[in-house]
Amino acid sequence: MTTSTSTTLQPIPGNSLTRFLSDGWVTTWRNLMKIIRVPEILLFSLIQPVMFVLLFTYVFGAAIDIPGDGYTSFLMAGIFAQTVVFGSTYSGSAMAQDLKDGIIDRFRTLPMSGAAVLVGRTNGDLVINTLSMLVMMGTGLLVGWRVNSSPLEFLAGVGLLLLFSYAFSWVMAFLGMSVKSPEIINNASFLVLFPLTFISNAFVPSENLPTPLRVFAEWNPVSALVQSARELFGNVPPGTIVGEAWPAQNPIATVLIGVSVLLVIFVPLCIRKFATISR
Amino acid sequence: MSFIEAIDLVKTYSPKGSPQVRALDGLNLEVQQGSVTALLGPNGAGKTTTVKVLTTLIQPDSGSAFIDGVNVVAEPQAIRRMIGASGQYAAVDQNLTGFENLLMVGKLYHLGTRVARQRATELIELFDLVEAQNRTVKGYSGGMRRRIDLAGALVIRPPVLFLDEPTTGLDPRSRLGLWEVIERLVADGTTVLLTTQYLEEADRLANSISVIDNGQVIAQGTADELKASIGGLRVAVTLVDESQSENARTLLTRFGSGEQAILTGRTLVVPVQDGPHALAAIVSAAAEEGIGLHDAGMRRPTLDDVFLQLTGRSAQTDEAETESAA
Ligand SMILES: Nc1ncnc2c1ncn2[C@@H]1O[C@H](COP(=O)(O)OP(=O)(O)OP(=O)(O)O)[C@@H](O)[C@H]1O
Ligand SMILES: [Mg+2]
């Protein structure tokens, strides 16, 4: 058997863990560079939630009567949840775009970890989502939102929202690789995510909804996320009637279970899909 | 065993709403170490599919492939340590600069930052991209992207290099430059498998040519062997009036060495036994039968003739494209 050309460059020593971390960092770096070089992505993912905060506060705020701190405080958890759920869509369209551009083909001919590419992808979205959370919080505080809980609870609330969006990013990354078209991902996710976020307790208390919608809202994981965030931020209006469904009674547990289930299913699915995908 | 060996590769695609495509239909290929082998074939022949199987991008439905004895399907990561690949369409990150693209590839080969930087700098120079190196690839021309992509394939100085239509979209100067790079790599012992639509390129670079059609290798040899295999001199005539092509074809075939004359556009070509004699006979017979000729001549077979003879199609016509797309 022959040996390779003597001048071929050899890898520096490392084990699969250090290589995975290094590959994960390099692909995360690449996605962060994209955020820096194409600022429109960040700009538009920030404008929408800010617009929602302002529109809902001033248009619906007067019409919807919420006891306690009023509508703005009630609304914020809903907007946070909606934004991070929609933010995960980016994982899908960016994955589809990378596939189209052939950069995934390049990665797949390199001796790197395929899982690291996906980690880099979802990490990049976590950064975008974190930034939009910060901007939304600033906007919220300006229009009268107040956190009525301990710093620890507040951080737990933020963590839960980001965790949920992270899990959703993996779902979207899988869809992006399956559909292979950034446009379809954007349009299709709009059709799914709009009802998912609106038929929930995000913008109006779900107890007032007609029965079929109310049942849907009570079982909707987005409702659980919103309810958890409201509890952790101390924004639950006094006298709120909590639905009887288990998720409505145990929102934080529901979110944690939901996140685990999504990750357990979609992380391996994504890795398997990635291993055979090509432009 | 040859350095690169593909045995009986089969790959089918089942696109939604259209019939199944047999992209590879029992393809066999052998590449000797240190050689340049060209895969030559019309559009849709299966060149890209072959390269994708060998570079671990897709898995064949059946058959096997080895590079330096390593099983491509079973040990993709080991293969990826020894190959460099550049696909038919440039695979670069649009939002990174040219330099950053190469740096990223070096890091993903785990060369360490210092070596990855050094190598990126060398390659930027080799491919004449010094001025553009700190601009994002988004602003590059097609040819510049192509060059960054090719440079990406050379980062580790791989013993085996796969280039799918490497010079498509390059201007003549860059094409010549790339040929020189490839020749230097081969002098250093690199084994190269490339696909090309340009017969001239195969003629100049390749020690061995495999002609592919419908997912199979239908002929294999050096350019000279292939030319010799389809017989000696050709007589080629160009018709004045295309409507006479059937009569003219019969006429040429009559004076040829046995095979049918092949028509592309208004040009007819037929292999002949005794060149000058056949040419004179064809010209006078055409005059007698009232077939108008623009020109008539004799020539040695080209790779294009090989192509025509073997596939019934010209290598570089649009006809082949529409045929495979249909
Ligand atoms: N992803 C795919 N889905 C469906 N069919 C495909 C796919 N990729 C290739 N094919 C089909 O497989 C056949 C071989 O394609 P391939 O790309 O290997 O040809 P090629 O020789 O590289 O052609 P070209 O010169 O146009 O690049 C074609 O008929 C093509 O339509
Ligand atoms: Mg091709």
Side-chain angles (χ1 to χ4, degrees), chain A residues 97-172:
Chain A
Q97 188 66 46
D98 281 350
L99 202 59
K100 221 170 135 182
D101 288 346
I103 188 76
I104 299 294
D105 280 12
R106 165 62 73 204
F107 288 150
R108 286 204 49 238
T109 60
L110 298 176
M112 64 180 293
S113 155
V117 177
L118 296 155
V119 169
R121 171 81 278 139
T122 48
N123 278 350
D125 298 346
L126 199 55
V127 171
I128 295 189
N129 269 325
T130 308
L131 290 174
S132 34
M133 284 281 285
L134 285 174
V135 170
M136 276 189 295
M137 283 178 188
T139 319
L141 290 172
L142 284 179
V143 297
W145 172 56
R146 293 294 173 263
V147 177
N148 304 313
S149 60
S150 69
L152 216 61
E153 283 173 305
F154 169 72
L155 287 180
V158 174
L160 211 59
L161 283 162
L162 292 177
L163 194 64
F164 191 86
S165 81
Y166 187 73
F168 240 71
S169 286
W170 283 89
V171 179
M172 287 298 169

Side-chain angles (χ1 to χ4, degrees), chain A residues 8 12 30 37 106 108 279, chain B residues 57 80 85 93 95 100:
Chain A
T8 298
I12 54 174
R30 150 181 133 78
R37 300 240 165 100
R106 165 62 73 204
R108 286 204 49 238
R279 167 159 57 187
Chain B
L57 280 176
R80 290 168 190 158
D93 189 326
N95 300 302
E100 286 167 346

Side-chain angles (χ1 to χ4, degrees), chain B residues 47-48 88 164-165:
Chain B
K47 304 182 294 293
T48 297
Q88 184 166 358
D164 195 358
E165 298 195 20

Side-chain angles (χ1 to χ4, degrees), chain A residues 185-196:
Chain A
I185 279 291
N186 278 334
N187 296 336
S189 60
F190 196 76
L191 284 182
V192 175
L193 296 183
F194 238 92
L196 199 64

Side-chain angles (χ1 to χ4, degrees), chain A residues 10-20 22, chain B residues 81 109-111:
Chain A
Q10 297 301 323
I12 54 174
N15 57 38
S16 50
L17 179 65
T18 58
R19 294 220 163 122
F20 174 78
S22 152
Chain B
R81 280 253 167 253
Y109 271 114
H110 312 116
L111 301 181

Side-chain angles (χ1 to χ4, degrees), chain A residues 1-5 7-13 19-20 22-23 25-27 29-31 33-34 37-38 98 101-114 178 275-279, chain B residues 3 33 52 55-59 68-69 77 80-81 83 85 89-97 100 104-105 107-112 115 119 136 138 149 152-153 155-159 188-189:
Chain A
M1 196 103 323
T2 39
T3 52
S4 56
T5 324
T7 53
T8 298
L9 298 176
Q10 297 301 323
I12 54 174
R19 294 220 163 122
F20 174 78
S22 152
D23 294 346
W25 164 241
V26 173
T27 51
W29 166 80
R30 150 181 133 78
N31 292 321
M33 290 309 281
K34 180 165 183 180
R37 300 240 165 100
V38 194
D98 281 350
D101 288 346
I103 188 76
I104 299 294
D105 280 12
R106 165 62 73 204
F107 288 150
R108 286 204 49 238
T109 60
L110 298 176
M112 64 180 293
S113 155
S178 310
T276 58
I277 201 161
S278 170
R279 167 159 57 187
Chain B
F3 193 59
Q33 186 167 23
K52 280 191 169 183
T55 55
T56 76
L57 280 176
I58 55 174
Q59 270 138 18
D68 201 6
Q77 284 300 42
R80 290 168 190 158
R81 280 253 167 253
I83 64 168
Y89 305 98
V92 285
D93 189 326
Q94 311 259 6
N95 300 302
L96 298 181
T97 66
E100 286 167 346
M104 175 172 77
V105 171
K107 284 183 175 174
L108 294 175
Y109 271 114
H110 312 116
L111 301 181
V115 178
R119 192 63 186 138
T136 51
K138 195 173 273 176
D149 192 57
V155 166
I156 55 164
R157 297 200 194 93
D188 288 344

